[in-house]
Amino acid sequence: MRGAPTILHLDMDAFYAAAEQAAKPSLRGKPVIVGGLGPRGVVSTASYEARVFGVHSAMAMAQARRLCPNAAYLTPRFSLYRQVSDVVMGLLARLSPLVEPLSLDEAFVDLEAGGVEPRLEAARAVGERLRRDIAAATGLSGSVGLAGSKMLAKIASEQAKPDGLVVIEPGTEMALLGPMSVRAIPGVGPATAEALRRAGIHTVAESAEAGEAELVRLLGKAHGASLFALASGRDERPVVADRDTKSVSVEDTFDEDLTDRSRVQFEVARLADRCVERLREAGRSGRTVVVKVRRYDFSTLTRSETLRGPTDDPSVVREAARRLIDGVETSEGVRLLGVGVTGLADYTQEDLFAQAAMEREALEEAQRAQVEAAGAPDHGPAPGVESAPLSPISEPSAEFPRHWLPGHDVVHAEYGPGWVQGSGVGRVTVRFEQPWSAPGRVRTFAVDDPALTPAEPLPLVRPETPSGAPAAGLPAVDVGAGGGVAPAPAGQPSWAEPPGLSSAPAMRPNPVSGGGGPSRREVSSP
């Protein structure tokens, strides 16, 4: 336990939902719920406006819809969340070389390792500056806790929500911890809490009063001794930077059980590509491919295959995943599929699997070229060319049409950037707006409209250039004396700059309502 509050815990406020509100002006100040939207979906994050109705993380989406039927229900956009997370983690790295990320929106920072004086005033000043920097760089808010240990810093950040800062001063720890539920202690889950409840232990103070011997008797030596130390306010865990990632994986739960074999293979291929994308983003490679299958009866099995060396080649991972799923019986129904890579390394080793996959693709391409040149139907491999049949998982077919997910980004050739509000019965509804614009108009298109294409997320804060003009991709539009908007320069689409935006200041953060709580709080514990 330190004598100064120099361990900082940052927790972004309702991160996924707040990012969606910042990206979509029409949703600011309104209930927003992010998660899986199918009948088996689960809430990932609810905005503070939705929490008023009792919606919270890990709740079944069906129950959330009953509690808050008028909320905006969106599917996650992890590419956006990772972009914002990278910005936030970069700001933390400026404070100290010891930054321990816990998730995309949460991290510990050792301020002393960054040269911050071990004084309450110095730590508080750093915390306030961090909150201002995050708001300026992302338009979002984060809550900061400062204390002499990791456990207390995390408790402080919880008390600071939303958009606040709480400092737990040395000497006040036990007065703060004592009345809290034992669930406030790290490592105490439902099972441990139930075991303590049966022994008449409900609060942190009661855990400390029970004594180490009693907690060891109830929970075992390691868990009991650790719980007693934390309940007594002793937490010597250091902030550990660069945690070693052991695996990378992705998985999807389906609204209806999959029974069609080609659909299962297609989904496995899609998951394999997503897994490799994350693997490459982390700058890693791996040598063991794992496929996870949860069947209709909730029974779960995994299959793995170890390659000859580490790889980040999507065709290699895809082929390995295909071989693994081919050995699993799926005809009775599959509710969840996952693909992962373990045995991670920082380098990639060429192997025969990659060569075989590339050779097969080259042969298939040559075969198609020969058929097209001859103008004849494809009756199989050319003479003397041995080629495996095209895998049904290589590309989606007509039976898997374009699917527009609520909340995801699109761009229209005429109307410009927007996001999907909903789709069904062959139609897709799009609201055309940008993070720095006013709420936009809604239009409806056919799901296969060629003018409408998926797009990458726009930054939440309008980029700034040295001249003060919008950054690349956001061409300036002159505003005349009468306030009208002149046409965009030749060769640039008319939607590139929404009316009235050219006079807006650059780097304007997007205000996102925090719901019934104060917009800024600064509190010290008694």
Side-chain angles (χ1 to χ4, degrees):
M1 183 69 65
R2 298 186 179 183
T6 54
I7 292 183
L8 180 148
H9 181 260
L10 171 71
D11 196 354
M12 300 295 289
D13 299 324
F15 182 49
Y16 295 174
E20 297 297 346
Q21 288 177 315
K24 301 171 172 63
S26 58
L27 297 185
R28 293 173 192 165
K30 299 178 181 179
V32 173
I33 298 172
V34 180
L37 303 188
R40 296 170 176 169
V42 174
V43 175
S44 295
T45 308
S47 70
Y48 286 100
E49 296 85 354
R51 296 181 189 187
V52 172
F53 294 88
V55 181
H56 58 78
S57 300
M59 173 182 285
M61 190 62 75
Q63 183 180 358
R65 289 184 184 275
R66 290 192 294 269
L67 293 173
C68 192
N70 296 322
Y73 288 85
L74 308 175
T75 52
R77 295 187 297 159
F78 289 105
S79 57
L80 170 65
Y81 309 149
R82 282 193 290 269
Q83 290 173 16
V84 178
S85 177
D86 289 344
V87 173
V88 173
M89 296 302 167
L91 293 174
L92 297 181
R94 295 181 186 178
L95 302 180
S96 170
L98 291 183
V99 177
E100 182 179 337
L102 303 179
S103 61
L104 289 176
D105 62 332
E106 186 179 1
F108 286 109
V109 183
D110 187 333
L111 298 181
E112 281 192 29
V116 176
E117 295 183 30
R119 295 185 298 108
L120 186 150
E121 295 77 10
R124 186 194 300 276
V126 170
E128 288 290 5
R129 186 173 72 247
L130 174 64
R131 293 174 59 245
R132 290 194 299 269
D133 290 347
I134 290 173
T138 68
L140 304 180
S141 67
S143 296
V144 172
L146 290 161
S149 69
K150 292 170 71 173
M151 177 183 70
L152 292 170
K154 183 172 176 62
I155 290 173
S157 69
E158 285 294 325
Q159 291 189 332
K161 285 184 170 295
D163 191 19
L165 181 149
V166 167
V167 181
I168 297 180
E169 300 180 16
T172 67
E173 297 89 356
M174 292 312 300
L176 174 71
L177 280 175
M180 290 185 173
S181 165
V182 290
R183 292 293 302 274
I185 300 176
V188 177
T192 301
E194 177 60 21
L196 295 173
R197 185 195 66 78
R198 289 198 298 266
I201 299 173
H202 303 88
T203 66
V204 175
E206 289 171 348
S207 299
E209 291 168 1
E212 183 174 357
E214 176 64 9
L215 294 180
V216 167
R217 185 185 69 80
L218 292 171
L219 306 173
K221 184 174 182 180
H223 196 14
S226 173
L227 177 59
F228 178 74
L230 294 175
S232 302
R234 301 196 307 271
D235 181 11
E236 305 300 333
R237 295 175 298 161
V239 176
V240 180
D242 298 325
R243 282 185 168 183
D244 188 28
T245 302
K246 300 184 184 300
S247 64
V248 174
S249 64
V250 295
E251 61 183 41
D252 274 348
T253 300
F254 304 101
D255 295 343
E256 297 180 357
D257 292 345
L258 305 184
T259 55
D260 181 70
R261 188 69 182 178
S262 62
R263 176 68 189 280
V264 171
Q265 292 174 322
F266 169 73
E267 295 295 345
V268 166
R270 184 177 59 82
L271 290 167
D273 288 342
R274 282 173 52 195
C275 182
V276 170
E277 182 181 343
R278 291 192 183 182
L279 195 67
R280 288 181 167 180
E281 287 176 355
R284 309 296 292 275
S285 61
R287 62 178 301 165
T288 300
V289 178
V290 182
V291 167
K292 176 181 177 181
V293 181
R294 181 164 296 152
R295 295 173 172 169
Y296 71 99
D297 59 357
F298 287 89
S299 62
T300 304
L301 58 86
T302 59
R303 296 288 185 269
S304 64
E305 177 179 315
T306 299
L307 308 176
R308 300 183 184 181
T311 184
D312 64 353
D313 189 310
S315 62
V316 175
V317 176
R318 199 183 308 127
E319 284 293 313
R322 180 187 63 80
R323 289 192 295 271
L324 292 170
I325 198 64
D326 282 349
V328 178
E329 174 57 48
T330 60
S331 61
E332 293 184 334
V334 172
R335 61 182 291 120
L336 176 146
L337 287 170
V339 175
V341 176
T342 64
L344 303 188
D346 294 325
Y347 65 94
T348 301
Q349 177 177 312
E350 297 297 334
D351 59 14
L352 296 179
F353 289 113
Q355 295 175 17
M358 288 187 291
E359 288 172 3
R360 198 186 81 157
E361 290 176 1
L363 287 172
E364 291 169 349
E365 184 62 33
Q367 176 189 339
R368 282 192 287 265
Q370 287 181 0
V371 171
E372 291 173 2
D378 185 358
H379 293 299
V385 177
E386 235 181 80
S387 176
L390 286 176
S391 168
I393 65 173
S394 59
E395 57 185 42
S397 62
E399 64 181 301
F400 306 131
R402 299 173 81 184
H403 185 49
W404 303 101
L405 298 175
H408 280 216
D409 298 272
V410 295
V411 63
H412 191 275
E414 180 180 355
Y415 301 111
W419 57 277
V420 177
Q421 277 201 323
S423 64
V425 199
R427 296 286 179 178
V428 55
T429 301
V430 178
R431 184 180 289 274
F432 291 99
E433 59 187 7
Q434 300 175 59
W436 43 80
S437 74
R441 296 188 62 181
V442 175
R443 298 181 184 274
T444 300
F445 309 92
V447 293
D448 56 355
D449 190 327
L452 189 68
T453 56
E456 290 298 315
L458 295 170
L460 298 185
V461 175
R462 192 174 181 181
E464 181 182 25
T465 62
S467 63
L474 301 170
V477 180
D478 294 331
V479 179
V485 180
Q492 293 174 344
S494 60
W495 50 259
E497 184 74 25
L501 283 185
S502 60
S503 60
M507 289 298 291
R508 180 180 61 191
N510 295 297
V512 179
S513 170
S519 61
R520 180 177 181 274
R521 296 190 294 127
E522 181 178 308
V523 183
S524 291
S525 69

